[in-house]
Amino acid sequence: MNKNDLKRLGKITRPIPAKNERASLIQDHVSFAPASVQCIKLVVEPVKSLPAWHDAKGSPGCVFVSEIEVN
């Protein structure tokens, strides 16, 4: 119920796209048991090192989030 007493409700791990895989919009869903909450912490971690086939190989990846819906 507070930011000092958080627990994980779900987790998603996305695979690294293959070479020549087209960019796409990804809509992930995290399902969990009903819970009463007053705060939510969302942790999004990009890949630490882009794969060898990428133009920016070895550089950290980026994550872009446009919407988050909590229902």
Side-chain angles (χ1 to χ4, degrees):
M1 292 296 281
N2 65 63
K3 66 180 182 177
N4 297 321
D5 190 30
L6 298 174
K7 66 178 180 178
R8 180 178 290 179
L9 296 177
K11 180 178 179 177
I12 295 174
T13 302
R14 303 281 316 153
I16 295 175
K19 184 176 181 178
N20 298 325
E21 186 175 335
R22 295 186 60 157
S24 63
L25 176 65
I26 299 170
Q27 296 182 354
D28 281 325
H29 301 273
V30 178
S31 297
F32 49 87
S36 295
V37 299
Q38 290 184 348
C39 59
I40 294 174
K41 178 179 179 180
L42 177 67
V43 178
V44 180
E45 296 179 0
V47 295
K48 295 186 187 316
S49 178
L50 292 171
W53 56 261
H54 196 278
D55 290 339
K57 65 183 172 189
S59 299
C62 296
V63 176
F64 302 96
V65 177
S66 63
E67 295 181 27
I68 298 171
E69 181 179 322
V70 179
N71 188 357

